[in-house]
Structures are given as structure tokens and as C-alpha cells.
Amino acid sequence: MPISLSPLQMREIIMDHYDHPLHKKRPDNLDGYLTVHSNSVNCIDDIDVFLLVDDGVVTDCAFDGIACAISTASTDIMCDLVIDKKIDEAKRIIEQFFNMIYEKQYDDTLLDEAIAFQNTYKQAARIKCATIGWNALSDLFKMFEEVDNDKER
């Protein structure tokens, strides 16, 4: 059974990550980083997501730009969850987040504070906000695999 948070607890988690995001920054040196730009026509969300992988492990994940509270908090929590994880582990976390958002069975033990978005499906307009960073990170992992495959050739 998924962890249950009160609406107040969810709001506190979201507002904390919106007011004090740890990963909202443009890396000083972009060497080795993959970057993807993502925006929304439905909201102010207009962000760049940065990914650094070393030896199959996410060593940094960050984002920068303008975003609403839902998008900022969700993307910041996402960065927390994937840093220091192997790519396969990070992909599993992403999969579980999307399962939660789209009302499928999910493993809440992998989502930590991301479970604050467990009721997002009730507000369809907020799904894009909650998933914009996660979709960008999924795209970055695809880019990484293409680059990594090219190196092996």
C-alpha cells in the first residue's frame, strides 16, 4: 500500500523544494554534461535539465530556468532521487514516478518525497508541470545511451 501523506504534508514538501531548491543551478562547467530544454505551453515552465554520468552512475543532475511551484519542486526532488544512482536504478525511479502519476501500481519505497505528487492525477492540468523534469531526464538518458553506443563503435 502506498505511503499516505496529508494534504498539508504534501504542500509543505512541495513548498520547501520550491522555496529552497537544492538542484536549481546551471553547472559552472558543462564539460561532460548532457542538456535538454523543456517547456510547457500551459504554464510558465521553461527549464534546462543537466545530467552528468560517470562510469554508469549519475554524479550530478540539475536544472535551471523559470518554473511553477509544482514543476520546480518535482524536478528538484527528482534530482535528489537520481544523484548517486546507477542509470538502471534512476530509470526505475522514473518509471515508478510515472506509474504513480498515471494511477498505475508503483513502488513508493523508491519515491521518497516524490510521493507528495501522488494526487496530481486529480488535476490534469498539473500533470505536465509535475512531469516536465522527469520527461526531460528520460530524454537525457536516451541521449546518454546514444552517445555511449557511439563511443563503443
Side-chain angles (χ1 to χ4, degrees):
M1 173 121 183
I3 295 171
S4 181
L5 293 176
S6 73
L8 179 60
Q9 289 171 311
M10 289 183 218
R11 179 173 165 65
E12 287 174 354
I13 289 168
I14 291 167
M15 291 312 296
D16 183 49
H17 281 274
Y18 175 66
D19 290 336
H20 310 287
L22 297 174
H23 304 286
K24 188 173 188 277
K25 61 186 182 226
R26 181 172 293 279
D28 293 332
N29 181 352
L30 290 175
D31 289 347
Y33 279 85
L34 292 175
T35 306
V36 70
H37 180 80
S38 195
N39 61 9
S40 172
V41 296
N42 299 327
C43 195
I44 64 168
D45 302 333
D46 189 11
I47 62 172
D48 293 310
V49 179
F50 307 93
L51 175 68
L52 184 63
V53 176
D54 185 27
D55 198 26
V57 175
V58 176
T59 55
D60 194 19
C61 186
F63 68 103
D64 197 24
I66 297 169
C68 69
I70 299 294
S71 180
T72 297
S74 180
T75 304
D76 194 54
I77 291 168
M78 174 198 75
C79 293
D80 273 346
L81 289 173
V82 301
I83 292 174
D84 295 329
K85 298 287 190 300
K86 292 181 181 178
I87 291 173
D88 288 343
E89 293 172 302
K91 285 180 173 182
R92 176 95 171 114
I93 291 167
I94 293 168
E95 174 189 49
Q96 296 308 300
F97 181 78
F98 281 118
N99 284 350
M100 178 185 69
I101 292 295
Y102 294 109
E103 300 181 84
K104 297 178 183 175
Q105 188 173 9
Y106 63 95
D107 182 352
D108 62 325
T109 64
L110 298 178
L111 296 180
D112 197 39
E113 288 184 315
I115 63 167
F117 298 94
Q118 65 188 347
N119 292 327
T120 302
Y121 70 90
K122 293 178 181 178
Q123 300 172 339
R126 292 315 220 164
I127 290 174
K128 175 74 172 176
C129 298
T131 60
I132 193 166
W134 297 79
N135 282 314
L137 185 58
S138 291
D139 291 345
L140 285 168
F141 282 134
K142 290 174 191 165
M143 289 170 58
F144 176 78
E145 289 170 357
E146 290 171 8
V147 169
D148 202 41
N149 287 339
D150 287 345
K151 287 180 185 178
E152 290 178 7
R153 291 180 202 180

